[in-house]
Amino acid sequence: MTVTIKDVAREAKVSVASVSRALNGVGGVTPATEQRIREVAARLRYVPHGAARSLITKRTHTVGALMPDLHGEFFSELIRGIDLEARTHGLHLLVSSSHNGADDAAAALRAMQGRVDGIVILSSPGVDAAFLKTNLPESLPTVLLNSDMKAGAAAVLNIDNFAGTYAMVRHLASLGHRRIAFVTGPKNNFDARQREAGFRAAMTRLVPGTSPRIVSGDFSEASGYLAGRELLSGKVRPQAVFAANDMMAVGCLQAFKEAGIAVPGDIALVGFDDIPIARYVTPPLSTVRVRIAELGKNAMDLLADLINRPGSSAASVHTLGCDIVVRESCGGASGRNLNHHNQENPSRVESTTKLEGSS
Amino acid sequence: MTVTIKDVAREAKVSVASVSRALNGVGGVTPATEQRIREVAARLRYVPHGAARSLITKRTHTVGALMPDLHGEFFSELIRGIDLEARTHGLHLLVSSSHNGADDAAAALRAMQGRVDGIVILSSPGVDAAFLKTNLPESLPTVLLNSDMKAGAAAVLNIDNFAGTYAMVRHLASLGHRRIAFVTGPKNNFDARQREAGFRAAMTRLVPGTSPRIVSGDFSEASGYLAGRELLSGKVRPQAVFAANDMMAVGCLQAFKEAGIAVPGDIALVGFDDIPIARYVTPPLSTVRVRIAELGKNAMDLLADLINRPGSSAASVHTLGCDIVVRESCGGASGRNLNHHNQENPSRVESTTKLEGSS
DNA sequence: TTGTATGCGTTATCAT
DNA sequence: ATGATAACGCATACAA
């Protein structure tokens, strides 16, 4: 910061060029002088000025992460996955989270110009294809998470919501359930729509001849509670309820408890996400696990590839599979999991291949 | 990126200096030409190159966050708090999380040189006073979180673990409990040590004449489970158990359940942190809440102050109070909280003033 | 092998 | 009010 390459050069009695060469290990310097330069640099605690270097190198060794204002496990695990893998590639992470709406996001995107070599964007309402078209320089390597963009300049990586829901419905059907109800997420949410589509498709294929009840929710616990009550109020009670995320499932659970309906005895219940809470409610919630950190890791790998070999995996679409996590709330396998110390030993079913890409 | 200030200048038929002046709104340009320049810039989608600008400005408008590899709510909420407040100050966030040990941290710190105006560091084993002394340029504004550094070049912001545990013990004592046991965290953890100290002090003052049982844990659920069993195996059973964090309390809960000991009927149980899970276990766990996002916000405010007015709050020590959250697991107030739909309505006690500073 | 000189994109200083 | 030009700290093509 305060000590520059010039200081090192003067102290080591060489030119700045030699210092640069020595410290970057590009050769062209006597081992002796290199040694001397390194010593001086260490003594002076010289650290190259990142901005100055990237100005000429055209490389910042930094990637950006742009995501909406969301709390909880998803955010932290995703960042964790990205950061961990970024370090592997020698990259650093500039985070811009907590933005609400397109304006915030656009400002954040602008601020990242010239500070990042690439960017991972978690789609959200307002931050969609049209938004990116106008706010994203096309030369900037980009990985889109959770996007419904078919193809474009950016690589796309999605959770396989469809396959996840499908596989869970299959599990429920295999347990003998036919009247399976579904609690949807918000209509403007990409994951929510895919999950609902997966559910409908699975029911049509696996439990034909029925028309499943579908009630609306918004991913909140409160909406799940309401949905649970609504499902109980009907003429015939569902045999199983599939909530589009875990928080709504927890809401349902509460509604069922209050109504004196036993889970899974009277009604089976499953969710989606496998948030930490899922293991700790009573009974432990069967759900579809999203390996979030792995999602982040894969996104980072994709991005690193895009950076190192421009155009390599651009316009490709990838999918990360989910796991079916069977605990007690859906019955069938229950009792088996009454293990000591809350250890986890659910049956785990890979619903999709690890990372399926298609360009 | 690809379109520079020169392009705008050429297109607008002015010099680069005028473009710079117009876009930065420093005056010295005719409203007419400013208007023209702005239009051209917008049309060309010109965005200033951050690195180039900060090279001469000496300001990156970015702050760094350095933290160990931790998952879960604490990380995400802290980042959230920091990022949200950073935006308020017009600052961006360069995150380097997920580092294990001093070497990783040192590398991350080096990489941040010249890319940040200041830095927030979450202390961890290995990243302590000595570490900072050698790895941190003293000119860089720094806020230390969770540090036992008394005073130095950096501002320090801590959670008031001591007051939090103290207040919770007071609550337990007010419920009539006298044989209160404690499950410690890892010895090398700053929070853990402070919490234990708070517990010991509180017991000495509030429940004199007893020597409380203290068993070791490491903040993990498994260690809590073991501790719970150990506490049950003693000659006399404690009336209450205070786990140094919630995950260990959850482990205790499991151990008690297996042993057929009712909570809070036979034994009271409390934790620390108020992780999301705490509300959802059965019975809901009373705990000490750490307002993590607020911690991040305060850290950011401190740092912004340090950046804008060098030396202003340096070498100051601040403390953020905790809240006592009374749910059902500690008895006494229980029954009152059997409200519908898992809504939260705990009695909330501010254990410390909002932000107590001392320089 | 080493040093000199140029340029990266921007702001700041000095002319005009 | 506007333009030419010198920094900022570094890497690199070229000269020696």
Side-chain angles (χ1 to χ4, degrees):
Chain A
M1 190 77 167
T2 194
V3 42
T4 79
I5 196 173
K6 284 182 185 169
D7 300 316
V8 179
R10 185 176 352 95
E11 197 76 7
K13 301 185 197 310
V14 291
S15 70
V16 293
S18 292
V19 176
S20 176
R21 282 188 285 253
L23 265 34
N24 289 329
V26 293
V29 276
T30 306
T33 58
E34 169 164 347
Q35 179 67 14
R36 178 161 43 95
I37 290 172
R38 295 204 108 92
E39 282 173 8
V40 172
R43 179 159 54 80
L44 263 46
R45 293 250 188 77
Y46 167 67
V47 174
H49 191 285
R53 166 182 268 165
S54 63
L55 185 57
I56 183 148
T57 309
K58 303 287 190 192
R59 292 270 276 169
T60 63
H61 295 285
T62 302
V63 297
L66 187 67
M67 36 197 62
D69 184 16
L70 34 82
H71 357 222
E73 194 75 2
F74 189 88
F75 172 80
S76 55
E77 279 300 291
L78 185 61
I79 293 291
R80 192 176 116 85
I82 294 176
D83 195 20
L84 231 37
E85 191 65 8
R87 186 170 277 81
T88 294
H89 293 279
L91 296 169
H92 300 274
L93 188 61
L94 187 63
V95 170
S96 184
S97 59
S98 318
H99 63 76
N100 293 299
D103 292 344
D104 264 9
L109 224 40
R110 284 178 59 95
M112 284 189 177
Q113 300 282 9
R115 317 183 87 92
V116 298
D117 295 334
I119 191 169
V120 176
I121 300 179
L122 180 61
S123 299
S124 58
V127 179
D128 51 13
F131 171 88
L132 297 173
K133 194 67 76 180
T134 64
N135 290 287
L136 205 63
E138 50 223 280
S139 59
L140 189 66
T142 304
V143 172
L144 261 32
L145 251 32
N146 252 22
S147 167
D148 55 357
M149 278 191 62
K150 295 307 171 198
V156 173
L157 176 57
N158 286 331
I159 296 168
D160 203 344
N161 291 295
F162 190 96
T165 0
Y166 199 103
M168 183 55 102
V169 170
R170 177 184 291 123
H171 178 75
L172 290 174
S174 78
L175 259 31
H177 300 306
R178 288 186 55 82
R179 294 192 309 280
I180 308 176
F182 190 76
V183 184
T184 74
K187 303 304 177 193
N188 66 352
N189 183 285
F190 179 59
D191 293 315
R193 287 197 306 269
Q194 285 198 320
R195 289 171 193 180
E196 183 176 342
F199 175 78
R200 288 180 185 275
M203 289 302 283
T204 302
R205 284 281 300 267
L206 306 175
V207 193
T210 67
S211 75
R213 285 185 68 182
I214 296 187
V215 305
S216 294
D218 62 7
F219 275 171
S220 75
E221 183 183 355
S223 76
Y225 174 79
L226 261 29
R229 285 174 58 121
E230 185 180 336
L231 286 171
L232 254 33
S233 73
K235 198 161 290 178
V236 293
R237 184 203 299 157
Q239 296 168 301
V241 174
F242 193 157
N245 79 342
D246 286 346
M247 280 318 293
M248 292 198 299
V250 169
C252 283
L253 192 58
Q254 181 70 14
F256 296 163
K257 263 184 193 154
E258 284 181 20
I261 309 290
V263 176
D266 299 326
I267 195 169
L269 177 64
V270 300
F272 202 116
D273 282 344
D274 195 25
I275 60 177
I277 291 168
R279 288 181 52 197
Y280 295 96
V281 291
T282 309
L285 185 67
S286 296
T287 186
V288 184
R289 174 178 297 166
V290 176
R291 300 186 300 274
I292 309 171
E294 188 175 336
L295 186 70
K297 169 184 167 14
N298 289 345
M300 189 60 244
D301 285 338
L302 237 31
L303 185 54
D305 195 45
L306 230 41
I307 291 172
N308 295 326
R309 309 195 321 239
S312 56
S313 24
S316 63
V317 177
H318 304 258
T319 294
L320 179 65
C322 308
D323 302 328
I324 303 300
V325 180
V326 177
R327 297 201 179 93
E328 296 176 31
S329 70
C330 62
S334 93
R336 188 174 56 64
N337 269 343
L338 288 172
N339 42 7
H340 294 298
H341 176 218
N342 230 338
Q343 298 241 357
E344 173 121 88
N345 187 24
S347 83
R348 212 175 141 143
V349 180
E350 188 101 349
S351 67
T352 307
T353 50
K354 296 271 290 184
L355 181 62
E356 188 177 308
S358 68
S359 51
Chain B
M1 191 74 170
T2 193
V3 42
T4 80
I5 197 172
K6 286 182 184 170
D7 300 315
V8 179
R10 186 175 352 96
E11 198 76 6
K13 303 186 195 309
V14 291
S15 71
V16 293
S18 292
V19 176
S20 177
R21 280 188 286 253
L23 264 36
N24 288 330
V26 293
V29 277
T30 307
T33 57
E34 170 163 347
Q35 178 66 14
R36 178 159 44 96
I37 291 172
R38 293 205 111 93
E39 282 173 9
V40 172
R43 179 159 55 81
L44 263 47
R45 293 247 190 78
Y46 167 68
V47 174
H49 192 285
R53 189 207 293 255
S54 64
L55 184 57
I56 180 117
T57 309
K58 303 285 190 194
R59 290 271 275 170
T60 63
H61 296 284
T62 302
V63 298
L66 189 67
M67 36 197 62
D69 185 17
L70 35 81
H71 358 221
E73 194 76 4
F74 188 87
F75 172 79
S76 55
E77 280 299 291
L78 185 61
I79 293 290
R80 191 176 116 85
I82 294 176
D83 194 20
L84 229 39
E85 192 64 8
R87 186 169 278 80
T88 294
H89 294 279
L91 297 169
H92 299 273
L93 188 60
L94 188 62
V95 170
S96 184
S97 59
S98 318
H99 63 76
N100 295 297
D103 292 344
D104 264 9
L109 224 41
R110 286 177 57 94
M112 284 189 179
Q113 300 281 9
R115 318 183 86 92
V116 298
D117 296 334
I119 191 169
V120 176
I121 299 180
L122 180 61
S123 299
S124 59
V127 179
D128 52 14
F131 170 87
L132 296 174
K133 194 67 77 183
T134 64
N135 289 289
L136 205 62
E138 51 223 278
S139 60
L140 190 66
T142 303
V143 172
L144 261 32
L145 251 31
N146 252 23
S147 168
D148 56 356
M149 280 191 61
K150 294 307 174 200
V156 173
L157 175 57
N158 285 331
I159 295 168
D160 202 343
N161 291 295
F162 190 97
T165 11
Y166 199 102
M168 182 55 102
V169 170
R170 177 184 292 123
H171 179 74
L172 290 174
S174 78
L175 260 30
H177 300 306
R178 287 186 56 82
R179 295 192 307 280
I180 307 177
F182 189 75
V183 184
T184 74
K187 302 303 178 197
N188 66 353
N189 183 287
F190 179 60
D191 293 315
R193 288 196 305 270
Q194 284 199 321
R195 289 171 192 181
E196 183 174 343
F199 175 78
R200 289 180 186 275
M203 289 302 284
T204 302
R205 285 282 298 268
L206 305 174
V207 193
T210 67
S211 76
R213 285 186 68 183
I214 296 188
V215 306
S216 294
D218 63 6
F219 274 170
S220 73
E221 183 183 354
S223 76
Y225 175 80
L226 260 31
R229 285 174 58 122
E230 184 179 338
L231 287 170
L232 255 32
S233 72
K235 196 162 291 180
V236 293
R237 185 202 301 157
Q239 297 168 299
V241 174
F242 193 157
N245 78 342
D246 287 345
M247 280 318 294
M248 292 196 300
V250 169
C252 283
L253 193 58
Q254 181 69 14
F256 297 165
K257 263 185 194 156
E258 284 181 19
I261 308 292
V263 176
D266 299 326
I267 196 169
L269 176 65
V270 300
F272 203 115
D273 282 345
D274 194 25
I275 60 177
I277 291 168
R279 288 181 52 197
Y280 293 97
V281 291
T282 310
L285 184 68
S286 295
T287 185
V288 184
R289 174 178 298 165
V290 176
R291 299 185 301 274
I292 308 170
E294 189 175 337
L295 186 70
K297 170 185 166 16
N298 289 345
M300 188 61 245
D301 286 337
L302 236 32
L303 185 54
D305 195 45
L306 230 41
I307 291 172
N308 296 327
R309 309 194 323 237
S312 55
S313 23
S316 62
V317 177
H318 304 258
T319 293
L320 179 65
C322 308
D323 303 327
I324 303 299
V325 179
V326 178
R327 296 202 179 92
E328 297 177 29
S329 70
C330 63
S334 93
R336 187 174 58 60
N337 269 343
L338 288 172
N339 43 8
H340 294 297
H341 177 214
N342 231 335
Q343 297 240 358
E344 173 122 273
N345 187 23
S347 85
R348 213 176 139 143
V349 180
E350 188 102 347
S351 67
T352 307
T353 51
K354 296 270 291 183
L355 181 61
E356 187 177 307
S358 71
S359 51

